[in-house]
Amino acid sequence: GAANYLCYFEDNWDKIDMNPNPSYFPHPVPVFRYRPWDELDAVTRQVAAGMMGYMEESWNGIGSSALEKNTFLNLEPEERAGAMDLGFYTHTWDCYVNHYASYYWSSLHGDLKLAVETLGWDKARW
């Protein structure tokens, strides 16, 4: 149904993430994103370059690509498909790549809003 189309299933609808996450962080860390370009396999480099526009310098310079200024849902369709091919999904991209920087204050809710408020943000400063 409609919920499945939006990537909601019973577990994540009920706020239980269906992705394994043995760490402290709220979503599984996409460890491949923190590997240097020259340590990536050829397929990963091809997807990152061909579908997402990464080059060695922008991949290795985390946060330097304009692509990373977008939320997952604001990526162009081919960029989003590439991100998904690499293993990202909405939560991992927005958390570890965009760091929620493109979210409007009104988009923050629940634990996420509590986290940014704990770090000293409020509506005026966000």
Side-chain angles (χ1 to χ4, degrees):
N4 288 3
Y5 182 77
L6 297 173
C7 301
Y8 282 104
F9 306 95
E10 185 175 348
D11 285 346
N12 64 355
W13 184 266
D14 293 333
K15 297 190 176 190
I16 301 169
D17 197 330
M18 67 187 134
N19 295 285
N21 184 22
S23 76
Y24 170 80
F25 297 104
H27 309 292
V29 177
V31 294
F32 63 88
R33 179 58 188 96
Y34 303 103
R35 289 193 185 113
W37 183 263
D38 61 0
E39 292 181 15
L40 299 174
D41 61 68
V43 172
T44 299
R45 283 195 308 268
Q46 178 57 41
V47 170
M51 296 178 77
M52 302 178 74
Y54 279 109
M55 301 305 286
E56 183 173 7
E57 185 175 311
S58 58
W59 181 268
N60 289 344
I62 292 177
S64 66
S65 172
L67 179 79
E68 298 176 1
K69 308 293 186 245
N70 288 306
T71 65
F72 185 81
L73 296 177
N74 284 336
L75 295 173
E76 293 296 326
E78 185 173 22
E79 295 167 341
R80 190 169 42 253
M84 290 171 58
D85 286 352
L86 292 179
F88 285 108
Y89 63 101
T90 302
H91 298 300
T92 55
W93 179 272
D94 290 354
C95 183
Y96 296 106
V97 176
N98 181 256
H99 304 287
Y100 304 105
S102 294
Y103 276 45
Y104 293 104
W105 183 259
S106 60
S107 300
L108 303 174
H109 57 277
D111 290 342
L112 178 57
K113 187 170 185 180
L114 178 62
V116 297
E117 288 174 337
T118 299
L119 293 172
W121 295 98
D122 59 24
K123 184 177 182 179
R125 293 180 45 208
W126 186 257

